[in-house]
Amino acid sequence: MEIETTRAFRKARARYRNALLLSCTALAALPPTCLLAQETENSGSVTVLETITVEGGDDDANSIVATQTTGGSKMATDILDTPASVSVITAKEIEERGAQNVEQVLQYTTAVFTDFYGSDDRFDFFKIRGFDAYTYRDGLSLGSPFGGAREEPYAFERVEVLKGANSTVSGVSDPGGSVNYVTKRPKSEKFGEFYVTGGSFDHKEVGFDFGDNLTEDDTLSYRLTGKFQDADQEYDYSRDDEKFIMGGLTWRPSDATNLTVVFDHLHRNGVPGSGGHPVGTDFDRSRFFGEPDFNYRGTDRNTLSVMFDHDFGNGLSFSSNARYSDTSTDFGYAYIAATPTDGTTIAERDFFANDSSSEDFIIDARLQYDTSFSNMESRTLVGIEYRDVSSDSTTYFDDAPSIDWANPVYTGAPATLPTLRSLRSDQETKAVYVQQDLTFAERLIATASLRNDWLDLSETNQITGVTTTDDVSEFTSRFGLTYKFTNEFAIYGSYAESVAPPSLGVEPERGEQIEVGMKYRPYAFPALFSAAIYDLTKNNITRTNPATGFDETIGEIRVRGLDLEAKAELASNWSLTAAYSYLDAEIVENGTAGNEGNRPAFVPEHMASLWVNYELEGSGRRGDMTFGLGARYTSSYYFNDENTQQTDSSIVFDAAFSYDIHENTSLEVNVSNIFNEKHVDYGGFGADFYNPGRAVYATLRHSW
């Protein structure tokens, strides 16, 4: 009787949340279980539903609280049943906060440290639990964001953040965690929106996202998404232009088969950054000490994604994701390299530039089998992955003419720049993995994952013509236990390993983590409260030796910490997102540098954030109004492992307001850094880079 009551409660709750999985269709392993649920409902049988841990789908466009994820497993899994700390930023949360880039999307997430490079705008900069994080799209690796293309958040239905070491889920990665972007896919219904945005720094932007069925029987659907932006950055001689277009088709020839093809093109025409400001000065953020004629950052990328799944029935399903991308990026700028200490105002500068191109093909295929035995439920996943990446990267560097910051005179672009490094890299990866979930009496969940990656690496120095090769085989594992005291409250413990792609000639960087946590998801209202403590170690850390110019492993870093997070949609029209992180980070071993016992660079001890929304319901001619206010706190952190230079702690406030002008039409205003709080985010080498200043944007949005 208790089991049947629980099932009924779950179904009612799923209906209350608008019948989940519609906006999670980009999750690779999800459609098979969704189809199984549909078949079961039509037949009146409950046999298949017994084996499904995800009873519905999240409505990412209408809720900030997600209940499922593939971020902690290749299988779509209830977050409560996942033995790891997982955060999901839904499309609604991204829109409410008016996030313009990935760093803004992530900045209210526990354990995530963003924007520590200040006005350096070349890449998406963020760390998780004190370490660089790898990124994925629909579960397929994109690689390190440092050096890659800046992603466009409007392309994604949600962003999933997995904290901690876990290479068994998506392959080689850093131990701090991973970020998975979930692509918007066609729906079997008519929907859409169009918006225009204007604001600070001559920002002009239009966007659209719409789709419908192409056939009356819902077998073929399309979706078209786009964003076009003409803008500047907050400093002189800058630009921040973008063209993004994405189209997708989904074909459903039967209830058991689903094929989606998505193509997108990303073009960015921007600048790499402000070039820095002299150390110890207090100029306006708009002041520019680089070179206007040598200040560019470009991105051109074409991506084709294919997602397929088929349900064979009786608990057996097959799914596969594949992606091909062709990317070209470049940047060039002058930056302040040294601030004088003799009282003069002449700052030394350097020229720095890079041209890169890459081709990346990756495919992942997996079989999932769900079954039950008496009071035990089983989910088994067996998969293989193949990736082939080829890239060319040439870096240029030279001294630039100095500049007098009291009376700056620009000298123009250099005629040529000496080549610092030119490399051709090829990486072929093959992997096989298995994941097993066993649920006993609907309370105890045992999770085990094993994976082996084989990497064939080749690197050619295009200056000397010398080619270096290496073969690497890496085995990683993860084990977890979850106990659900009730269907609302669970505790878990886990052990997980990670391995990062190695530099040629050195051992791969490896990570290990032990984590214990709890999660509470009340039935009374949509919410998820979580807490986790962890002990995370990364060894074989690789750094470039300045004396030799070669990479070498130098030591080990250990981070022990606490993560707290809450996402809730409360009664009386309130909602909130709250996060706190404590990181006890230490350099355990550091070669001959003598930094043992120090705190690693760019790892604050405390981070906290809070975002609160209040909706004032309309009356008469007045439409609904929503007020949002947020605050982000970061404690002091060091710029170097020697712990000789650091920034101060800071707190930044953000705000949002929306007004429903008419049915399906709204006016939205977003303000970041309301009080224009100013501090140094990055420095320590001769220049200071400030945090982003106040920015105000207004958006008129119409949906249908």
Side-chain angles (χ1 to χ4, degrees), residues 6 103 185 193 246 256 303 346 382 474 498 534 598 629 655 666 673:
T6 299
E103 290 172 280
R185 293 170 63 177
E193 73 167 21
M246 180 172 71
T303 301
I346 308 298
V382 178
E474 287 295 329
S498 71
Y534 60 89
N598 288 356
L629 182 64
S666 63
N673 195 356

PDB file of all heavy atoms in Angstrom, residues 6 103 185 193 246 256 303 346 382 474 498 534 598 629 655 666 673:
ATOM      1  N   THR A   6       2.950   6.000  -2.830  1.00  0.00           N
ATOM      2  CA  THR A   6       4.115   6.765  -3.275  1.00  0.00           C
ATOM      3  C   THR A   6       4.094   6.981  -4.780  1.00  0.00           C
ATOM      4  O   THR A   6       4.377   8.073  -5.277  1.00  0.00           O
ATOM      5  CB  THR A   6       5.407   6.019  -2.882  1.00  0.00           C
ATOM      6  OG1 THR A   6       5.440   5.899  -1.471  1.00  0.00           O
ATOM      7  CG2 THR A   6       6.633   6.797  -3.355  1.00  0.00           C
ATOM      8  N   GLU A 103      30.266  32.405 -17.873  1.00  0.00           N
ATOM      9  CA  GLU A 103      30.706  32.778 -16.524  1.00  0.00           C
ATOM     10  C   GLU A 103      29.549  33.329 -15.697  1.00  0.00           C
ATOM     11  O   GLU A 103      29.410  33.013 -14.510  1.00  0.00           O
ATOM     12  CB  GLU A 103      31.848  33.788 -16.612  1.00  0.00           C
ATOM     13  CG  GLU A 103      33.136  33.178 -17.140  1.00  0.00           C
ATOM     14  CD  GLU A 103      34.198  34.221 -17.417  1.00  0.00           C
ATOM     15  OE1 GLU A 103      34.129  34.864 -18.478  1.00  0.00           O
ATOM     16  OE2 GLU A 103      35.091  34.379 -16.578  1.00  0.00           O
ATOM     17  N   ARG A 185      16.612  21.213 -28.387  1.00  0.00           N
ATOM     18  CA  ARG A 185      16.203  20.299 -29.444  1.00  0.00           C
ATOM     19  C   ARG A 185      14.739  20.546 -29.804  1.00  0.00           C
ATOM     20  O   ARG A 185      13.978  21.130 -29.025  1.00  0.00           O
ATOM     21  CB  ARG A 185      16.387  18.849 -28.992  1.00  0.00           C
ATOM     22  CG  ARG A 185      17.844  18.461 -28.797  1.00  0.00           C
ATOM     23  CD  ARG A 185      17.991  17.113 -28.125  1.00  0.00           C
ATOM     24  NE  ARG A 185      17.451  16.024 -28.921  1.00  0.00           N
ATOM     25  CZ  ARG A 185      17.525  14.741 -28.554  1.00  0.00           C
ATOM     26  NH1 ARG A 185      18.095  14.419 -27.405  1.00  0.00           N
ATOM     27  NH2 ARG A 185      17.024  13.805 -29.327  1.00  0.00           N
ATOM     28  N   GLU A 193       9.704  32.233 -29.173  1.00  0.00           N
ATOM     29  CA  GLU A 193       9.898  33.547 -28.581  1.00  0.00           C
ATOM     30  C   GLU A 193      10.764  34.384 -29.501  1.00  0.00           C
ATOM     31  O   GLU A 193      11.554  33.870 -30.299  1.00  0.00           O
ATOM     32  CB  GLU A 193      10.534  33.453 -27.190  1.00  0.00           C
ATOM     33  CG  GLU A 193      11.999  33.071 -27.182  1.00  0.00           C
ATOM     34  CD  GLU A 193      12.656  33.294 -25.827  1.00  0.00           C
ATOM     35  OE1 GLU A 193      11.933  33.364 -24.817  1.00  0.00           O
ATOM     36  OE2 GLU A 193      13.896  33.392 -25.779  1.00  0.00           O
ATOM     37  N   MET A 246      21.222  28.360 -35.150  1.00  0.00           N
ATOM     38  CA  MET A 246      21.164  26.919 -34.895  1.00  0.00           C
ATOM     39  C   MET A 246      19.819  26.384 -35.368  1.00  0.00           C
ATOM     40  O   MET A 246      18.767  26.955 -35.065  1.00  0.00           O
ATOM     41  CB  MET A 246      21.356  26.630 -33.407  1.00  0.00           C
ATOM     42  CG  MET A 246      21.313  25.159 -33.035  1.00  0.00           C
ATOM     43  SD  MET A 246      21.774  24.865 -31.299  1.00  0.00           S
ATOM     44  CE  MET A 246      20.335  25.535 -30.452  1.00  0.00           C
ATOM     45  N   ALA A 256       9.181   4.115 -30.740  1.00  0.00           N
ATOM     46  CA  ALA A 256      10.391   3.543 -30.160  1.00  0.00           C
ATOM     47  C   ALA A 256      11.675   4.158 -30.703  1.00  0.00           C
ATOM     48  O   ALA A 256      12.756   3.830 -30.218  1.00  0.00           O
ATOM     49  CB  ALA A 256      10.418   2.033 -30.395  1.00  0.00           C
ATOM     50  N   THR A 303      29.220  23.391 -36.250  1.00  0.00           N
ATOM     51  CA  THR A 303      29.039  22.162 -35.480  1.00  0.00           C
ATOM     52  C   THR A 303      27.826  21.402 -35.999  1.00  0.00           C
ATOM     53  O   THR A 303      26.755  21.985 -36.199  1.00  0.00           O
ATOM     54  CB  THR A 303      28.831  22.468 -33.987  1.00  0.00           C
ATOM     55  OG1 THR A 303      29.962  23.173 -33.484  1.00  0.00           O
ATOM     56  CG2 THR A 303      28.657  21.188 -33.188  1.00  0.00           C
ATOM     57  N   ILE A 346      56.027  55.259 -17.093  1.00  0.00           N
ATOM     58  CA  ILE A 346      56.255  54.538 -18.347  1.00  0.00           C
ATOM     59  C   ILE A 346      56.147  53.034 -18.069  1.00  0.00           C
ATOM     60  O   ILE A 346      56.976  52.455 -17.352  1.00  0.00           O
ATOM     61  CB  ILE A 346      57.634  54.855 -18.952  1.00  0.00           C
ATOM     62  CG1 ILE A 346      57.845  56.370 -19.057  1.00  0.00           C
ATOM     63  CG2 ILE A 346      57.778  54.185 -20.314  1.00  0.00           C
ATOM     64  CD1 ILE A 346      56.853  57.055 -19.968  1.00  0.00           C
ATOM     65  N   VAL A 382      26.380  -0.181 -20.946  1.00  0.00           N
ATOM     66  CA  VAL A 382      27.662  -0.529 -21.553  1.00  0.00           C
ATOM     67  C   VAL A 382      27.853   0.383 -22.753  1.00  0.00           C
ATOM     68  O   VAL A 382      26.952   0.507 -23.606  1.00  0.00           O
ATOM     69  CB  VAL A 382      27.712  -2.000 -21.979  1.00  0.00           C
ATOM     70  CG1 VAL A 382      29.042  -2.312 -22.660  1.00  0.00           C
ATOM     71  CG2 VAL A 382      27.503  -2.917 -20.793  1.00  0.00           C
ATOM     72  N   GLU A 474      44.518   4.550 -19.615  1.00  0.00           N
ATOM     73  CA  GLU A 474      44.146   4.991 -18.272  1.00  0.00           C
ATOM     74  C   GLU A 474      42.827   4.347 -17.844  1.00  0.00           C
ATOM     75  O   GLU A 474      41.832   4.411 -18.564  1.00  0.00           O
ATOM     76  CB  GLU A 474      44.018   6.508 -18.213  1.00  0.00           C
ATOM     77  CG  GLU A 474      45.342   7.241 -18.261  1.00  0.00           C
ATOM     78  CD  GLU A 474      46.209   6.964 -17.041  1.00  0.00           C
ATOM     79  OE1 GLU A 474      45.644   6.737 -15.957  1.00  0.00           O
ATOM     80  OE2 GLU A 474      47.446   6.974 -17.184  1.00  0.00           O
ATOM     81  N   SER A 498      39.768  10.494 -11.446  1.00  0.00           N
ATOM     82  CA  SER A 498      39.810  11.242 -12.703  1.00  0.00           C
ATOM     83  C   SER A 498      41.215  11.180 -13.276  1.00  0.00           C
ATOM     84  O   SER A 498      42.190  10.929 -12.564  1.00  0.00           O
ATOM     85  CB  SER A 498      39.401  12.703 -12.492  1.00  0.00           C
ATOM     86  OG  SER A 498      40.408  13.396 -11.777  1.00  0.00           O
ATOM     87  N   TYR A 534      33.988  16.913   1.160  1.00  0.00           N
ATOM     88  CA  TYR A 534      34.815  16.121   0.259  1.00  0.00           C
ATOM     89  C   TYR A 534      36.289  16.299   0.583  1.00  0.00           C
ATOM     90  O   TYR A 534      36.706  17.276   1.213  1.00  0.00           O
ATOM     91  CB  TYR A 534      34.559  16.509  -1.197  1.00  0.00           C
ATOM     92  CG  TYR A 534      34.863  17.955  -1.496  1.00  0.00           C
ATOM     93  CD1 TYR A 534      36.131  18.359  -1.896  1.00  0.00           C
ATOM     94  CD2 TYR A 534      33.877  18.933  -1.367  1.00  0.00           C
ATOM     95  CE1 TYR A 534      36.416  19.685  -2.155  1.00  0.00           C
ATOM     96  CE2 TYR A 534      34.154  20.272  -1.618  1.00  0.00           C
ATOM     97  CZ  TYR A 534      35.422  20.644  -2.021  1.00  0.00           C
ATOM     98  OH  TYR A 534      35.706  21.963  -2.267  1.00  0.00           O
ATOM     99  N   ASN A 598      51.636  26.118   1.114  1.00  0.00           N
ATOM    100  CA  ASN A 598      50.963  27.322   0.645  1.00  0.00           C
ATOM    101  C   ASN A 598      49.595  26.992   0.051  1.00  0.00           C
ATOM    102  O   ASN A 598      49.269  25.839  -0.214  1.00  0.00           O
ATOM    103  CB  ASN A 598      51.807  28.039  -0.411  1.00  0.00           C
ATOM    104  CG  ASN A 598      53.027  28.717   0.176  1.00  0.00           C
ATOM    105  OD1 ASN A 598      53.220  28.714   1.394  1.00  0.00           O
ATOM    106  ND2 ASN A 598      53.851  29.295  -0.674  1.00  0.00           N
ATOM    107  N   LEU A 629      16.952  40.090  -6.823  1.00  0.00           N
ATOM    108  CA  LEU A 629      18.140  40.703  -6.230  1.00  0.00           C
ATOM    109  C   LEU A 629      19.136  39.613  -5.879  1.00  0.00           C
ATOM    110  O   LEU A 629      18.763  38.583  -5.302  1.00  0.00           O
ATOM    111  CB  LEU A 629      17.769  41.499  -4.982  1.00  0.00           C
ATOM    112  CG  LEU A 629      18.921  42.234  -4.271  1.00  0.00           C
ATOM    113  CD1 LEU A 629      19.511  43.311  -5.182  1.00  0.00           C
ATOM    114  CD2 LEU A 629      18.449  42.840  -2.959  1.00  0.00           C
ATOM    115  N   ALA A 655      20.790  42.697  -9.969  1.00  0.00           N
ATOM    116  CA  ALA A 655      19.343  42.862  -9.823  1.00  0.00           C
ATOM    117  C   ALA A 655      18.653  42.591 -11.148  1.00  0.00           C
ATOM    118  O   ALA A 655      19.271  42.643 -12.229  1.00  0.00           O
ATOM    119  CB  ALA A 655      18.996  44.266  -9.325  1.00  0.00           C
ATOM    120  N   SER A 666       6.704  40.661 -22.367  1.00  0.00           N
ATOM    121  CA  SER A 666       7.272  41.172 -21.122  1.00  0.00           C
ATOM    122  C   SER A 666       8.420  42.127 -21.401  1.00  0.00           C
ATOM    123  O   SER A 666       9.083  42.056 -22.439  1.00  0.00           O
ATOM    124  CB  SER A 666       7.771  40.016 -20.240  1.00  0.00           C
ATOM    125  OG  SER A 666       8.827  39.314 -20.884  1.00  0.00           O
ATOM    126  N   ASN A 673      26.372  44.054 -11.113  1.00  0.00           N
ATOM    127  CA  ASN A 673      27.228  44.932 -10.325  1.00  0.00           C
ATOM    128  C   ASN A 673      26.570  46.298 -10.141  1.00  0.00           C
ATOM    129  O   ASN A 673      27.069  47.333 -10.608  1.00  0.00           O
ATOM    130  CB  ASN A 673      28.613  45.073 -10.965  1.00  0.00           C
ATOM    131  CG  ASN A 673      29.634  45.673 -10.014  1.00  0.00           C
ATOM    132  OD1 ASN A 673      29.321  46.062  -8.887  1.00  0.00           O
ATOM    133  ND2 ASN A 673      30.872  45.753 -10.463  1.00  0.00           N
TER     134      ASN A 673
END
